[in-house]
Amino acid sequence: MTITESPESLTSSSDDNSNLRRRRGGGAKAVEDVTESDSSSAMEASSSSDDVTGDGGDGRFSDGNEIQEEQNDKVENEEQRKATQTTPLKYVYRASAPAHRRIKESPLSSAAIFKQSHAGLLNLCVVVLIAVNSRLIIENLMKYGLLIGSGFWISSTSLRDWPILLCCLSLPIFPFAAFLVEKLAQKKYMTERVVVALHIVITTAAILYPVLVILRCDSAFLAGVTLMLFACVVWMKLVSYAHTSYDMRQLAKSVDKGEHSDVNYSYDVNFKSLAYFMVAPTLCYQLSYPRTACIRKGWLARQLIKLVIFTGFMGFIIEQYINPIVQNSQHPLKGDLLYAIERVLRLSLPNLYVWLCMFYCLFHLWLNILAELLLFGDREFYKDWWNAKTIDEPVHKWMVRHIYFPCLRNGIPKGGAMLISFFVSAVFHELCIAVPCRLFKFWAFFGIMFQIPLVILTNFLQNKFKSSNVGNMTFWCFFCILGQPMCALLYYHDVMNRKGSAS
């Protein structure tokens, strides 16, 4: 908003204009325009000031006018910007002009803190985080030295994991079997019940086969986890392929019967589309996907460099921080409670860094690299889960498409559908950790299922305090700070106890 001038200033401006006319005949018209602009600006500012102080006669805004206030702020900033650009410097920000025109909150007050950008504070947090952790890394290296051994990346014991590699290479047999089943179903050589039964057999074999290989072979933990993750991805892709194909057959039958005749629908079983789906960075099958035009080689090279850097940083944190803390700890359920809490809190920070690096490397860098190589267009591999207000907010597309909504369509209530979704997730989390450890204590299973009461808790807190921050802080506390370090300690000591009893 422009600045008002006193009558004396307007008079002086008129005198100045007269002097300028006498000295510069060619510029008189421009000075007159400036004077008229200042006079109109002064009238606008005066009327705006009357609006502020004239609401009810007490100088306050009535409740419920927050939107109007924001619009007035925008108008005020725009007018002030224009006035500053067009008005000469001697007419701007006069001492007689009022500096306080509106009722406003402090930027850090609760009423205004979420209505503005905090990029500067975020940059400060990043700088402080880098400085503090750099000091901790240097202090750790000076005290303990470099703890990463020569066999960190590869060792002679890795040669015994060749059955794991052969199992990974043989897993494509199951997608090929699923394609044959769908091809026979398209030609109507078998009934729907037989098709569903065969898909159940194929998907079950696809997950049990790697489990048996890992349990029978003395493989390393990392190799077993990699195989189980790969097997779980294949299982989820096969379920999506079978479920989507079944749904497309049902739609094709409804079109043949005259239902939805206005829909142009064709059902096709294509091996090329299945092969692309099995290597594409998605778990949801469809006949075609949005595609990009070309491969950006420079961008791809930068992502590969980032992947190497963050993978090395993740390995450094594991070897330099997490392993010593875990090895020098006691079982969290068998020792002193305060000591267990101290170990968990000490482990939480490096564990959080590893988890964030793993997420960034897997779900952002690797999936984007794979998508770029395959010209896969849809790069929304994750939502903004870090802003989650409740525990149940970060839900995967596959879970929604093939578990949650099918349960709702079959008459299962929303709570039951959510319970089934968490149960499926808990089973596969347990398989990915317990099978490579050869230890079934169900810590990962109970950790996932424990999120159900946390969902109720975060929803209650969010409704009670009318703030999303409470639910988001609860999410971070239980999801990353307490839950994962506790599971790491439990599995480590149980594995060590099993090895000690076996020896």
Side-chain angles (χ1 to χ4, degrees), residues 319-362:
E319 290 293 316
Q320 194 73 23
Y321 289 92
I322 294 182
N323 283 349
I325 294 175
V326 173
Q327 293 172 3
N328 296 327
S329 64
Q330 299 177 358
H331 197 286
L333 299 182
K334 297 180 180 179
D336 185 23
L337 178 60
L338 292 178
Y339 178 83
I341 294 175
E342 188 272 336
R343 290 287 101 177
V344 169
L345 293 178
R346 186 176 181 182
L347 187 61
S348 61
L349 189 59
N351 180 84
L352 177 61
Y353 289 160
V354 169
W355 193 90
L356 292 176
C357 287
M358 181 190 67
F359 166 79
Y360 185 70
C361 290
L362 179 60

Side-chain angles (χ1 to χ4, degrees), residues 162-438:
W162 63 269
I164 303 294
L165 178 61
L166 293 179
C167 182
C168 282
L169 297 177
S170 60
L171 281 179
I173 296 175
F174 300 102
F176 183 73
F179 168 75
L180 294 179
V181 171
E182 285 299 322
K183 201 67 177 179
L184 295 175
Q186 183 187 24
K187 296 181 178 180
K188 300 180 180 180
Y189 288 159
M190 58 181 67
T191 62
E192 286 294 337
R193 289 187 177 182
V194 176
V195 173
V196 173
L198 289 176
H199 277 303
I200 292 175
V201 172
I202 292 171
T203 53
T204 304
I207 197 68
L208 289 181
Y209 170 51
V211 171
L212 294 177
V213 171
I214 293 174
L215 293 179
R216 291 180 63 88
C217 301
D218 188 16
S219 61
F221 174 76
L222 183 59
V225 169
T226 303
L227 176 58
M228 284 307 305
L229 289 175
F230 187 53
C232 289
V233 169
V234 171
W235 183 87
M236 297 173 77
K237 284 177 176 283
L238 290 177
V239 170
S240 179
Y241 178 68
H243 193 187
T244 305
S245 299
Y246 173 82
D247 192 44
M248 288 192 296
R249 283 197 304 272
Q250 300 303 315
L251 289 175
K253 291 179 181 179
S254 64
V255 172
D256 294 338
K257 293 179 180 179
E259 302 176 4
H260 308 290
S261 57
D262 56 336
V263 179
N264 184 12
Y265 182 81
S266 60
Y267 168 61
D268 183 29
V269 179
N270 191 346
F271 182 76
K272 184 178 179 180
S273 63
L274 175 60
Y276 182 83
F277 166 64
M278 294 306 298
V279 295
T282 179
L283 298 175
C284 298
Y285 174 73
Q286 57 192 57
L287 292 177
S288 62
Y289 297 93
R291 307 290 291 272
T292 56
C294 61
I295 298 177
R296 298 168 292 177
K297 296 181 181 179
W299 181 90
L300 186 64
R302 290 193 298 270
Q303 304 309 307
L304 288 171
I305 294 174
K306 290 180 184 179
L307 182 62
V308 173
I309 293 175
F310 279 93
T311 302
F313 182 67
M314 182 170 55
F316 171 79
I317 295 176
I318 293 174
E319 290 293 316
Q320 194 73 23
Y321 289 92
I322 294 182
N323 283 349
I325 294 175
V326 173
Q327 293 172 3
N328 296 327
S329 64
Q330 299 177 358
H331 197 286
L333 299 182
K334 297 180 180 179
D336 185 23
L337 178 60
L338 292 178
Y339 178 83
I341 294 175
E342 188 272 336
R343 290 287 101 177
V344 169
L345 293 178
R346 186 176 181 182
L347 187 61
S348 61
L349 189 59
N351 180 84
L352 177 61
Y353 289 160
V354 169
W355 193 90
L356 292 176
C357 287
M358 181 190 67
F359 166 79
Y360 185 70
C361 290
L362 179 60
F363 289 95
H364 183 77
L365 294 177
W366 171 246
L367 291 183
N368 271 286
I369 290 171
L370 191 60
E372 190 71 19
L373 293 174
L374 297 174
L375 302 179
F376 190 83
D378 187 3
R379 308 293 175 88
E380 191 184 39
F381 303 120
Y382 51 88
K383 300 287 187 179
D384 56 339
W385 52 264
W386 47 87
N387 293 326
K389 305 177 185 65
T390 58
I391 301 294
D392 61 333
E393 207 167 303
V395 179
H396 198 276
K397 291 180 181 178
W398 184 92
M399 195 69 69
V400 174
R401 190 187 192 205
H402 300 292
I403 301 293
Y404 186 74
F405 278 105
C407 291
L408 295 180
R409 284 193 293 267
N410 284 276
I412 300 177
K414 183 178 179 180
M418 185 178 67
L419 179 62
I420 294 174
S421 301
F422 273 103
F423 178 80
V424 174
S425 177
V427 168
F428 281 92
H429 276 81
E430 181 67 24
L431 286 176
C432 291
I433 300 178
V435 173
C437 291
R438 299 173 186 82

